[in-house]
Amino acid sequence: MRVDAFKLPTDGPADVRGLTALLDDGVVRADELVCVLGKTEGNGGRNDFTRDLAMRALEDLLAPRLGLPPARVQDRVVFSLSGGTEGVVSPHVVAFARSGTWSEEPGPKRLVVGTAHTRPFTPAEIGRMPQIVETARAVAELAGELRLAPADVHLVQMKGAIPRADHEAVLAARRARTPLRNDMVHSRAASALGVALALGEVALADLSDDVVCDDWSLYSGVASCSAKPGLQRTEILMFGNSDRATGDLVVGHTVLKDILDVDAVRALLAELGLPVTGGQLSPEQRAHVVGVFAKSEADPRGSIRGRRHTMLSDDDIDDTRHSRAALAAVLASVVGDPCVYVSTRAEHHGPLGGGPLAIIARAP
Amino acid sequence: MRVDAFKLPTDGPADVRGLTALLDDGVVRADELVCVLGKTEGNGGRNDFTRDLAMRALEDLLAPRLGLPPARVQDRVVFSLSGGTEGVVSPHVVAFARSGTWSEEPGPKRLVVGTAHTRPFTPAEIGRMPQIVETARAVAELAGELRLAPADVHLVQMKGAIPRADHEAVLAARRARTPLRNDMVHSRAASALGVALALGEVALADLSDDVVCDDWSLYSGVASCSAKPGLQRTEILMFGNSDRATGDLVVGHTVLKDILDVDAVRALLAELGLPVTGGQLSPEQRAHVVGVFAKSEADPRGSIRGRRHTMLSDDDIDDTRHSRAALAAVLASVVGDPCVYVSTRAEHHGPLGGGPLAIIARAP
Amino acid sequence: MRVDAFKLPTDGPADVRGLTALLDDGVVRADELVCVLGKTEGNGGRNDFTRDLAMRALEDLLAPRLGLPPARVQDRVVFSLSGGTEGVVSPHVVAFARSGTWSEEPGPKRLVVGTAHTRPFTPAEIGRMPQIVETARAVAELAGELRLAPADVHLVQMKGAIPRADHEAVLAARRARTPLRNDMVHSRAASALGVALALGEVALADLSDDVVCDDWSLYSGVASCSAKPGLQRTEILMFGNSDRATGDLVVGHTVLKDILDVDAVRALLAELGLPVTGGQLSPEQRAHVVGVFAKSEADPRGSIRGRRHTMLSDDDIDDTRHSRAALAAVLASVVGDPCVYVSTRAEHHGPLGGGPLAIIARAP
Amino acid sequence: MRVDAFKLPTDGPADVRGLTALLDDGVVRADELVCVLGKTEGNGGRNDFTRDLAMRALEDLLAPRLGLPPARVQDRVVFSLSGGTEGVVSPHVVAFARSGTWSEEPGPKRLVVGTAHTRPFTPAEIGRMPQIVETARAVAELAGELRLAPADVHLVQMKGAIPRADHEAVLAARRARTPLRNDMVHSRAASALGVALALGEVALADLSDDVVCDDWSLYSGVASCSAKPGLQRTEILMFGNSDRATGDLVVGHTVLKDILDVDAVRALLAELGLPVTGGQLSPEQRAHVVGVFAKSEADPRGSIRGRRHTMLSDDDIDDTRHSRAALAAVLASVVGDPCVYVSTRAEHHGPLGGGPLAIIARAP
Ligand SMILES: [Ca+2]
Ligand SMILES: [Ca+2]
Ligand SMILES: [Ca+2]
Ligand SMILES: [Ca+2]
């Protein structure tokens, strides 16, 4: 198996010219496309329609090439579009294509990517052990299919299930004193803990319904979870390095302890063969970087490095926009490229105030 | 002369407990206070009343200690409060006190600070040569008083005049095809060019009314100008290093070529005896840094490092907030402290998309 | 007793020139001031410092005139400042002064105003029956002091207690399955139900901990409650009409069933002797209106008049700003004056999507 | 000719279920559709992509039914989508279909609708007499085709040309002291003056380049103009009443003198046979109203009814959002329906602070 990836700047949410050219020029075949990750210039919130516009444009582009109606394109290609290009962030997508077969013989580890999904969840399962355990199962199974040991999994991007509950179910759960948790916060949290469990970052014995959104010492450094109201099952996208893959890409990850953790960024780049000598990658090094994916979070304790921050008491600008702007600028300053993908909310993704960072780069 | 400076985190715009303690404990005498620079948690725009609240609190604190009515305090102490603590920025003030006399003998260069103002301007002078030339004169005179050669001036913070014009004057100027420029953009621009002229950054021969806001190759790397409608004369606050000063502080400056210019930040820190070995100052080094002052700007050409940015087409969040969030995060990531002072709009302050940075630190 | 009221437009949050003139001219005596209600041009949210700035200006004005230090002024005069002048709303304050004694003989009913407070609350009491019952007690007692029958009470403005709880108390309450409700939503809700209980709008038998923020059919049409973290006891300001009062002012109230309930506004004006013949009060009628006080609410069910609204899914502008802008414009269009006071969040204040409206006017 | 119109609430910008049902049920034929006007839930500004999303959805719906590629649909059907559903405004579209032929005999006047466009403009013509005169010519010609006397034209909705100029043209014009006006403000202004000229609202003798954006006493009460960078020619959509048309719809218009001009709204409704007896149309009357179209404007003089407003000094929320929220609430309060279409910026559309209002209703 070989994975290729293409960083494609966009002129607007509906701009698919970059991918169109790759397809038209035969550089990428539509049926080899696995996923498209990208940043669009909305607010990243509930009324961010730039993601819908981007998906519609991608569906219209790919439907005829895949021989599918537009509404079925996402059964074949995963779109992970994150709104919010605050500060220096430049709108772009990274498209991943997979081709070839597994090598018979081991070689240097190279990027693999795969997708899976959990079984459907009931509303009562969300944010509790059943979601964690089933997510872990699906993640482990996918790692197996991709021939990845836990240590070789570096990014698990998920769209978490939030099945809707009717009013009676809500009331019944409340009366039973086990209020439903089928919301974005708890779905993301349980998704992350599911990854952590699957990859050995936390032990089953340490998990329970009570630790979810409560014991922040438990976390994954590899997960990157969103959650979508109405989704019945969680969709999983996994990136790792396998010695049976070919190509020239590798992925690595680290955990940022806070938004200013520039040394973790540098250490990860060094691991990927891109040691920063001054403060920023050289142009030659920078050309090796294909994708930078991180989770930001305004520290819920209200401070960073012992100093008060104001992100959580600002009623003009959402804290997600503040924290994305800040972390993205820090990442862009080290890499030297404002095409970085930072999404927000990082419950059980790294420690409080911190979160995971994964970088995909050409092997040196 | 000896200048001492104190970085004081605040809990809100009206929090003056830090300065109160310094005064009560006798660490600082009210009559030695020269200026208070700080960031307050407003939007930095027209409806940012956090600066007024902070100034009112400072006036109420200092008036009895200076034996002045509150409304006269700013005749004695300069307040330079900048709204907008986007992203990681932590609200704080830096208070500067000046004491003692000039040394008879030269020693190692140390921080000096002084204030001055221009003569009153007419509306027609703003944004044109008269403002530039008079600003240069006042800057040069102040440098002389502070015994500073041009190369020893590292930060000239100014509040620029914007005298109001009546409707007739506006119409007359329009009819004469020399429309008034008594607005914030042109006042800031001419202030910066005045500093540049005074310090030899640009030559008089290169200046004319036409270059203002047009020839962006002309700029100062030392100025940091705001402008205030209704102000008749420009207020000037100058920081530099003199060999006749004592104390343990020094100031340095550099020009950031854009928001991601982390190598310039590091070079300046090295100059100040604080070389960054990894990506960030060590805690010991960080303790030497007293104040970080910069100007940010969303590149008006709409891109950074060849990538499109969206700061200037966002009608939800002002570009000033985007660019402050980004530059402040970058600076904080190198210094390791979110107490940084970034103000916005940088016309003729450094190149397009870039701006000046000054750092005040304890000498090593 | 005689109450006088003065509508005073402001040029900014710190503008107290209107009240200063009244005091200097002897129109109002400082020791007769009971309260100042007003709108300031902030966002009305957590980071709205315009209220602090306005209070500081009022304290500085009144302290010498009351012979008190500024920090004690609010023990004597109630300031109820609401941020957010969205749309047409014009920043202003309404100052109320009380003088004279009760009449021996009954006359036409005229405006009275008085203040009181509850006992201190514990965190566990907030949002539950103890807060409701004690609030009702204090409201009833104040009505008695003001010689007001329940039907003569038309506006009870409250700043609700939110005593802080330590982490242990939070955990203990959670474990006991009676999670603390010491937040703004529950404090406002219980304050309103306390008023409703005191005035006979709801019966004690219908109240329980469970109905708070659950049974929206229970509400007050007279309450207007905010809540303030850290406040130990609830502060109460009551307006009503007494036949033992003199002066020329009266107050009336109604319940708006939603933001578009213009007929309720007109009916209330008619009751006050100001029938609207076209769509708006005539200039002569308008001159009779001294204060317009309402509560707005984006209907939590997401629709108004059967049509979807988008106020609750907007991550750029808070729903409080949307609903204030809308209701204030409707009120201003009927009265013909953009000096209206609309505050937001209306839990158990009128029905879902609706809220109370009180108007103070000169008797015809 | 007969025009039918359908008010269709939407669940999101891409929701075309209402129109789909009309087409599927044979109520409307795709080839009879003339235009779709509607409000989408974006910010109405530069980064509002909800209009693009809505247009894309409409194109995808209509393309197969019109036998056209999606990109050609707008050659046949005019989409006038306005972003910004502030306050109570409910997202919706109004679709207009035209069928049949002109009556031979005159009858009661009924709604007609038609489209046209100007010749292409050069950048130098925009905002000056050539744009005004050519717009007037095209408007007059279209009125003739629709058999409308000037007094029978009630709404002229336009998308104004803004041809792009290269840098040399900009400089040349500046040097010639006739700086280009190819911006949204001037294009809208000249479009409106073009309508005013065509319909006799202003005289040619009163027009000149100098009056544009200067003499605000000159305006149209019928125009509703936007402007689009890159558009070469202005697109015109005209609504009026003809005695040779059939159907059951009529259109009327008025000029609001400011945002609170509720009496003008009521007078217009009365003209349309819908006199308001209380403050709001009755449900039966309301059912007659198909479309409400207005222009709002934060009075540039900073006050309304002699009271200061804060819409133009708010750096958190754009003044367009404030003024739309306010005017839409006022209109919705009279009609009793939050499906109203208010767009902003009203240069030479009604007086300063005011603007035109058109209502389309079923004849009584
Ligand atoms: Ca985290
Ligand atoms: Ca610059
Ligand atoms: Ca309510
Ligand atoms: Ca107008």
Side-chain angles (χ1 to χ4, degrees):
Chain A
M1 184 197 291
R2 173 194 169 91
V3 176
D4 289 291
F6 305 88
K7 190 192 317 187
L8 306 166
T10 57
D11 270 2
D15 177 15
V16 293
R17 287 176 300 177
L19 187 54
T20 305
L22 291 179
L23 292 164
D24 287 352
D25 296 351
V27 178
V28 169
R29 283 174 41 184
D31 60 4
E32 292 174 351
L33 268 181
V34 179
C35 58
V36 178
L37 280 69
K39 291 297 303 180
T40 58
E41 54 204 288
N43 64 18
R46 292 163 298 174
N47 63 325
D48 183 346
F49 295 97
T50 60
R51 298 168 294 202
D52 293 335
L53 180 57
M55 286 194 282
R56 196 160 185 130
L58 287 167
E59 287 169 351
D60 285 351
L61 170 67
L62 295 176
R65 287 168 160 94
L66 290 171
L68 292 172
R72 303 299 307 276
V73 166
Q74 294 196 47
D75 297 344
R76 291 277 294 279
V77 184
V78 171
F79 298 152
S80 180
L81 294 160
S82 165
T85 55
E86 293 82 8
V88 295
V89 180
S90 189
H92 70 287
V93 297
V94 184
F96 292 86
R98 190 174 52 194
S99 57
T101 56
W102 296 105
S103 304
E104 306 261 314
E105 296 301 313
K109 289 183 181 176
R110 290 293 180 260
L111 181 68
V112 294
V113 60
T115 62
H117 52 75
T118 64
R119 65 166 170 79
F121 289 111
T122 67
E125 292 177 322
I126 298 302
R128 292 195 160 90
M129 286 303 290
Q131 186 190 358
I132 296 173
V133 170
E134 164 61 10
T135 301
R137 188 205 58 74
V139 167
E141 186 177 292
L142 177 56
E145 282 171 22
L146 292 174
R147 308 185 182 199
L148 293 170
D152 289 324
V153 177
H154 293 284
L155 175 60
V156 183
Q157 191 121 5
M158 290 194 288
K159 206 173 287 174
I162 309 184
R164 298 186 203 280
D166 56 27
H167 194 56
E168 271 67 49
V170 172
L171 288 182
R174 203 195 296 170
R175 268 185 239 110
R177 306 266 179 184
T178 51
L180 290 188
R181 296 178 173 177
N182 62 332
D183 54 45
M184 295 174 81
V185 169
H186 287 95
S187 177
R188 278 191 307 259
S191 285
L193 289 173
V195 174
L197 177 59
L199 303 181
E201 296 175 291
V202 306
L204 182 58
D206 293 332
L207 291 171
S208 69
D209 289 359
D210 284 349
V211 305
V212 178
C213 292
D214 193 75
D215 181 350
W216 301 111
S217 72
L218 306 171
Y219 60 75
S220 172
V222 167
S224 177
C225 308
S226 64
K228 188 177 168 184
L231 200 63
Q232 298 299 315
R233 46 191 210 182
T234 294
E235 299 168 2
I236 304 169
L237 180 64
M238 181 180 288
F239 295 87
N241 298 321
S242 164
D243 64 3
R244 303 298 167 118
T246 58
D248 62 353
L249 297 175
V250 289
V251 60
H253 85 275
T254 187
V255 175
L256 305 174
K257 68 174 195 284
D258 63 22
I259 291 176
L260 300 180
D261 191 4
V262 75
D263 282 317
V265 183
R266 294 163 63 100
L268 173 55
L269 286 167
E271 246 182 60
L272 293 166
L274 300 166
V276 185
T277 49
Q280 197 168 86
L281 292 181
S282 69
E284 295 68 35
Q285 291 176 310
R286 178 152 54 253
H288 280 72
V289 177
V290 177
V292 175
F293 305 95
K295 271 280 190 189
S296 74
E297 178 173 66
D299 194 305
R301 293 163 298 188
S303 67
I304 175 166
R305 302 284 170 113
R307 305 286 196 195
R308 181 171 72 102
H309 68 73
T310 63
M311 297 187 265
L312 292 166
S313 58
D314 187 338
D315 282 319
D316 300 312
I317 299 181
D318 200 72
D319 68 276
T320 57
R321 309 203 73 179
H322 278 295
S323 75
R324 272 196 304 262
L327 180 56
V330 171
L331 296 175
S333 77
V334 179
V335 176
D337 184 348
C339 284
V340 294
Y341 176 111
V342 178
S343 64
T344 24
R345 302 297 189 203
E347 303 91 350
H348 298 295
H349 293 68
L352 275 186
L357 166 68
I359 297 181
I360 294 172
R362 280 176 226 301
Chain B
M1 185 196 291
R2 172 193 171 91
V3 176
D4 288 291
F6 305 88
K7 190 193 314 187
L8 305 166
T10 58
D11 270 0
D15 177 15
V16 294
R17 288 177 298 177
L19 186 53
T20 305
L22 291 179
L23 293 164
D24 287 351
D25 296 352
V27 178
V28 169
R29 283 174 41 182
D31 61 3
E32 293 174 350
L33 269 180
V34 179
C35 58
V36 178
L37 280 67
K39 291 297 302 181
T40 59
E41 54 203 288
N43 64 18
R46 291 163 298 175
N47 62 325
D48 183 346
F49 296 97
T50 61
R51 297 169 293 203
D52 292 335
L53 180 56
M55 286 194 283
R56 195 158 185 131
L58 288 167
E59 287 169 350
D60 286 351
L61 170 66
L62 295 175
R65 287 169 161 93
L66 291 170
L68 292 173
R72 304 298 305 278
V73 167
Q74 295 196 49
D75 296 345
R76 289 277 294 279
V77 184
V78 171
F79 298 153
S80 180
L81 294 159
S82 164
T85 56
E86 293 82 8
V88 295
V89 180
S90 189
H92 70 288
V93 298
V94 184
F96 291 85
R98 189 174 52 192
S99 57
T101 55
W102 295 106
S103 304
E104 307 261 314
E105 299 299 314
K109 289 183 180 175
R110 289 294 180 260
L111 181 68
V112 295
V113 60
T115 60
H117 52 75
T118 65
R119 65 165 170 81
F121 289 110
T122 66
E125 292 178 322
I126 299 301
R128 292 197 159 89
M129 286 304 288
Q131 186 189 0
I132 296 173
V133 169
E134 163 62 9
T135 301
R137 186 205 59 75
V139 167
E141 185 176 295
L142 177 57
E145 282 171 22
L146 293 174
R147 308 183 181 199
L148 294 169
D152 289 324
V153 177
H154 292 284
L155 175 60
V156 183
Q157 191 121 4
M158 290 193 288
K159 206 172 288 174
I162 310 184
R164 298 187 203 279
D166 58 27
H167 193 56
E168 271 66 51
V170 172
L171 288 182
R174 204 196 294 171
R175 267 186 238 110
R177 306 268 179 185
T178 52
L180 291 187
R181 297 178 173 177
N182 62 332
D183 54 44
M184 296 174 82
V185 170
H186 288 94
S187 177
R188 277 193 306 259
S191 285
L193 290 172
V195 175
L197 176 59
L199 302 181
E201 298 176 292
V202 305
L204 182 58
D206 293 332
L207 291 172
S208 69
D209 290 357
D210 284 350
V211 304
V212 178
C213 293
D214 194 74
D215 181 351
W216 301 112
S217 73
L218 306 170
Y219 59 77
S220 171
V222 168
S224 177
C225 310
S226 63
K228 187 177 168 186
L231 201 63
Q232 298 298 315
R233 47 191 210 181
T234 295
E235 299 168 3
I236 304 169
L237 181 63
M238 180 180 290
F239 296 88
N241 298 320
S242 164
D243 63 3
R244 302 299 167 118
T246 58
D248 62 353
L249 297 176
V250 289
V251 59
H253 84 276
T254 188
V255 175
L256 305 174
K257 67 174 197 283
D258 62 22
I259 291 177
L260 300 180
D261 190 4
V262 74
D263 281 318
V265 184
R266 295 163 63 98
L268 173 55
L269 285 166
E271 245 181 62
L272 292 166
L274 300 167
V276 186
T277 49
Q280 197 167 85
L281 291 181
S282 70
E284 294 69 34
Q285 290 177 310
R286 178 153 53 252
H288 280 71
V289 177
V290 177
V292 175
F293 305 95
K295 272 281 191 187
S296 74
E297 177 174 68
D299 195 304
R301 293 163 298 187
S303 67
I304 175 166
R305 302 284 169 111
R307 306 287 195 193
R308 180 171 73 103
H309 68 73
T310 62
M311 297 186 265
L312 291 167
S313 58
D314 188 338
D315 282 320
D316 300 312
I317 299 180
D318 200 72
D319 68 276
T320 57
R321 309 203 72 178
H322 278 295
S323 75
R324 271 196 305 260
L327 180 57
V330 171
L331 296 174
S333 77
V334 179
V335 175
D337 185 347
C339 284
V340 294
Y341 176 111
V342 178
S343 65
T344 23
R345 302 297 188 203
E347 304 91 348
H348 298 296
H349 293 68
L352 275 186
L357 165 68
I359 296 181
I360 293 172
R362 280 176 226 302
Chain C
M1 184 196 290
R2 172 194 171 91
V3 176
D4 289 291
F6 305 88
K7 191 193 312 186
L8 305 166
T10 57
D11 270 2
D15 177 15
V16 294
R17 287 176 299 177
L19 186 53
T20 305
L22 292 178
L23 293 164
D24 286 352
D25 296 350
V27 178
V28 168
R29 284 174 40 183
D31 61 3
E32 292 174 351
L33 268 181
V34 179
C35 58
V36 178
L37 280 67
K39 291 296 303 180
T40 58
E41 54 204 288
N43 64 18
R46 293 164 297 175
N47 62 325
D48 183 347
F49 296 97
T50 60
R51 296 168 295 203
D52 293 334
L53 180 56
M55 286 193 284
R56 196 158 185 131
L58 287 167
E59 288 169 350
D60 285 351
L61 170 66
L62 296 175
R65 287 169 160 94
L66 291 170
L68 293 173
R72 303 300 306 276
V73 166
Q74 294 197 48
D75 297 343
R76 289 278 294 279
V77 184
V78 171
F79 298 153
S80 180
L81 294 160
S82 165
T85 55
E86 294 81 8
V88 295
V89 180
S90 188
H92 71 287
V93 297
V94 184
F96 292 86
R98 190 173 52 193
S99 57
T101 56
W102 297 105
S103 304
E104 307 261 314
E105 297 301 314
K109 289 184 181 175
R110 290 294 180 260
L111 181 68
V112 294
V113 61
T115 61
H117 51 75
T118 64
R119 66 166 170 79
F121 289 111
T122 67
E125 292 178 322
I126 299 302
R128 293 197 158 89
M129 286 304 290
Q131 186 190 358
I132 296 173
V133 169
E134 164 61 11
T135 301
R137 187 204 59 73
V139 166
E141 186 177 293
L142 177 57
E145 284 169 22
L146 293 174
R147 307 181 183 203
L148 293 170
D152 288 325
V153 177
H154 293 284
L155 175 59
V156 183
Q157 191 120 5
M158 290 193 288
K159 206 172 288 174
I162 310 184
R164 299 187 203 280
D166 58 27
H167 193 56
E168 271 65 52
V170 173
L171 287 182
R174 203 195 296 171
R175 268 186 239 110
R177 307 267 178 186
T178 50
L180 290 187
R181 297 177 174 178
N182 62 333
D183 54 45
M184 295 174 81
V185 170
H186 287 95
S187 178
R188 278 192 306 258
S191 285
L193 289 173
V195 174
L197 177 60
L199 302 181
E201 296 176 292
V202 306
L204 182 58
D206 293 333
L207 291 173
S208 69
D209 289 358
D210 284 350
V211 305
V212 178
C213 292
D214 194 75
D215 181 351
W216 301 112
S217 72
L218 305 171
Y219 59 77
S220 172
V222 168
S224 177
C225 308
S226 64
K228 187 176 169 185
L231 202 62
Q232 299 297 316
R233 47 191 209 180
T234 294
E235 300 169 2
I236 304 170
L237 181 63
M238 181 180 290
F239 295 87
N241 298 321
S242 162
D243 63 4
R244 302 301 166 117
T246 58
D248 62 353
L249 297 175
V250 289
V251 60
H253 85 275
T254 187
V255 175
L256 306 175
K257 66 174 197 284
D258 63 21
I259 290 177
L260 300 179
D261 190 4
V262 74
D263 282 319
V265 184
R266 294 163 64 98
L268 173 56
L269 285 167
E271 247 181 60
L272 293 167
L274 300 167
V276 186
T277 48
Q280 197 167 84
L281 292 180
S282 69
E284 294 69 33
Q285 291 176 310
R286 179 154 53 254
H288 280 71
V289 178
V290 177
V292 175
F293 304 94
K295 271 282 190 186
S296 74
E297 177 174 67
D299 195 306
R301 293 164 298 189
S303 66
I304 175 166
R305 302 284 169 111
R307 306 287 195 194
R308 180 170 73 102
H309 69 73
T310 62
M311 297 186 265
L312 291 166
S313 58
D314 187 338
D315 282 320
D316 300 312
I317 299 180
D318 199 71
D319 68 275
T320 58
R321 309 202 74 179
H322 278 295
S323 75
R324 271 196 304 261
L327 179 56
V330 171
L331 296 174
S333 77
V334 179
V335 175
D337 184 347
C339 283
V340 295
Y341 177 110
V342 179
S343 65
T344 23
R345 301 299 189 202
E347 304 91 348
H348 298 295
H349 293 68
L352 276 186
L357 166 68
I359 296 181
I360 294 172
R362 282 177 223 300
Chain D
M1 184 197 292
R2 171 193 171 92
V3 176
D4 290 291
F6 305 88
K7 190 192 319 187
L8 305 166
T10 58
D11 269 2
D15 177 15
V16 294
R17 286 176 299 177
L19 186 53
T20 306
L22 291 178
L23 293 164
D24 287 351
D25 296 350
V27 177
V28 169
R29 283 175 41 183
D31 61 3
E32 292 174 351
L33 269 180
V34 179
C35 58
V36 178
L37 280 67
K39 290 298 300 181
T40 59
E41 54 204 289
N43 64 17
R46 293 163 298 174
N47 62 326
D48 183 347
F49 296 97
T50 60
R51 296 167 294 202
D52 293 334
L53 181 56
M55 286 194 284
R56 196 159 183 130
L58 287 167
E59 288 170 350
D60 285 351
L61 170 66
L62 295 176
R65 286 170 161 92
L66 290 171
L68 293 173
R72 303 300 306 278
V73 165
Q74 294 196 49
D75 296 345
R76 289 277 294 280
V77 184
V78 171
F79 298 153
S80 180
L81 294 160
S82 165
T85 56
E86 294 82 8
V88 295
V89 181
S90 189
H92 70 287
V93 298
V94 184
F96 292 86
R98 189 174 54 193
S99 57
T101 56
W102 296 104
S103 303
E104 307 260 315
E105 298 300 315
K109 288 183 181 175
R110 290 293 180 261
L111 181 69
V112 295
V113 61
T115 61
H117 52 74
T118 64
R119 65 165 171 79
F121 289 111
T122 67
E125 292 177 322
I126 299 302
R128 292 196 160 89
M129 286 304 290
Q131 186 190 359
I132 296 173
V133 170
E134 163 61 11
T135 301
R137 187 205 58 74
V139 166
E141 185 177 294
L142 177 57
E145 282 171 22
L146 292 174
R147 308 183 180 201
L148 294 170
D152 289 324
V153 177
H154 292 285
L155 175 60
V156 183
Q157 191 120 5
M158 290 193 289
K159 205 172 289 175
I162 310 184
R164 298 187 203 280
D166 57 27
H167 193 57
E168 271 67 49
V170 172
L171 288 182
R174 205 195 294 171
R175 268 185 239 110
R177 306 268 179 184
T178 51
L180 290 187
R181 297 178 174 177
N182 61 332
D183 54 44
M184 296 175 80
V185 169
H186 287 94
S187 178
R188 277 192 306 259
S191 285
L193 289 173
V195 174
L197 176 60
L199 302 180
E201 297 175 291
V202 305
L204 182 57
D206 293 333
L207 291 172
S208 69
D209 290 358
D210 283 350
V211 304
V212 178
C213 293
D214 194 74
D215 181 351
W216 300 112
S217 72
L218 305 171
Y219 60 76
S220 171
V222 168
S224 177
C225 309
S226 63
K228 188 177 169 185
L231 200 63
Q232 299 298 315
R233 47 192 210 180
T234 294
E235 299 168 3
I236 305 169
L237 180 64
M238 181 181 288
F239 295 88
N241 298 321
S242 164
D243 64 3
R244 302 298 167 118
T246 58
D248 62 353
L249 296 176
V250 289
V251 59
H253 84 276
T254 188
V255 175
L256 305 175
K257 69 174 194 286
D258 63 21
I259 290 177
L260 300 179
D261 190 4
V262 74
D263 282 318
V265 184
R266 294 163 63 98
L268 173 56
L269 285 167
E271 246 183 59
L272 293 167
L274 300 167
V276 185
T277 48
Q280 196 168 84
L281 291 181
S282 69
E284 296 68 34
Q285 290 176 311
R286 178 152 54 251
H288 280 71
V289 177
V290 177
V292 175
F293 305 95
K295 271 280 191 189
S296 74
E297 178 174 66
D299 194 305
R301 292 163 299 187
S303 67
I304 174 166
R305 303 284 170 111
R307 306 286 195 195
R308 181 171 72 102
H309 69 74
T310 62
M311 298 187 265
L312 291 167
S313 58
D314 187 339
D315 282 321
D316 301 312
I317 299 181
D318 199 72
D319 68 276
T320 58
R321 309 203 73 179
H322 278 295
S323 74
R324 272 196 304 261
L327 179 57
V330 171
L331 296 174
S333 77
V334 179
V335 176
D337 184 348
C339 283
V340 294
Y341 177 111
V342 178
S343 65
T344 23
R345 303 296 188 202
E347 303 91 349
H348 298 295
H349 294 68
L352 275 186
L357 166 69
I359 296 181
I360 294 172
R362 280 176 225 302

